[in-house]
Amino acid sequence: MPQTPAQQEPDKPEQPEPEPEQTPATVYLAFTNAETMADNAALLEKSNLRGTFFLTAAELTADPALARRLYAAGHILGVTVTEDCENVSASLLEANDALCRALNTKTLFALLPAWQQDGITDFSVLTRPQEPVSAEFAVQQTNAPQLLIVSQDAAQTLSTLAAAGANIELLR
């Protein structure tokens, strides 16, 4: 039976659509600068996290025990070179040999800026961004995982990632 205007329900105010729940960002933590690696590894351990630590041949030669501690704690190790490196391929192989002397193992991971990657075939190369990516930027990127390189104190970075509920993954 058709309703008369008096029988129809009164107009309800429109409710705003709830915001769609945003997927948390995925972040891969990479660490450079051997001087801060022990402290950064301790911060990761407190949060029950693991990261990937990239060392140069000089850093591995100067402190092979650091590489052993990082590896024993479950972190992934990779190699890198300095920005002014003239022979990148040879320097990466030298770093891998230093890693082998420290741990009796080698790595396939290398961290390089795009302009240093020409001719590198012996490694799985991760591209170091030309401009550093901040933790604030990384947590906003929900459409693509971000490689977040930390070379100083990681406390603020980890705090930002935790506050945003970011998924922190280990490079494999």
Side-chain angles (χ1 to χ4, degrees):
M1 164 185 273
Q3 293 182 341
T4 63
Q7 294 174 320
Q8 292 177 351
E9 289 186 34
D11 288 339
K12 293 182 183 176
E14 273 191 41
Q15 297 292 325
E17 291 283 326
E19 291 287 323
E21 199 169 303
Q22 189 173 10
T23 304
T26 298
V27 177
Y28 295 94
L29 291 175
F31 296 87
T32 59
N33 184 4
E35 292 177 12
T36 61
M37 285 183 182
D39 291 339
N40 289 340
L43 286 169
L44 289 175
E45 188 170 337
K46 286 180 185 176
S47 300
N48 199 30
L49 295 170
R50 301 293 172 259
T52 305
F53 290 78
F54 291 91
L55 297 121
T56 65
E59 291 169 333
L60 284 160
T61 300
D63 192 0
L66 172 63
R68 289 190 288 274
R69 287 191 308 272
L70 292 170
Y71 189 75
H75 301 291
I76 303 294
L77 298 179
V79 293
T80 191
V81 299
T82 59
E83 297 258 335
D84 62 350
C85 181
E86 291 183 20
N87 190 338
V88 175
S89 184
S91 294
L92 288 174
L93 293 173
E94 179 185 351
N96 221 3
D97 287 344
L99 181 62
C100 187
R101 287 191 298 278
L103 289 171
N104 201 29
T105 191
K106 291 189 176 192
T107 185
L108 293 176
F109 283 129
L111 178 66
L112 300 170
W115 56 270
Q116 284 184 326
Q117 295 179 15
D118 287 342
I120 305 301
T121 59
D122 296 330
F123 295 90
S124 177
V125 178
L126 300 165
T127 301
R128 179 192 308 254
Q130 192 168 356
E131 295 295 321
V133 173
S134 69
E136 292 79 7
F137 176 82
V139 297
Q140 295 172 2
Q141 307 308 306
T142 58
N143 57 339
Q146 296 293 305
L147 177 63
L148 187 58
I149 299 170
V150 182
S151 59
Q152 299 301 318
D153 181 14
Q156 182 60 46
T157 298
L158 292 176
S159 174
T160 300
L161 296 175
N167 296 315
I168 300 172
E169 301 288 336
L170 187 60
L171 289 167
R172 298 253 179 218

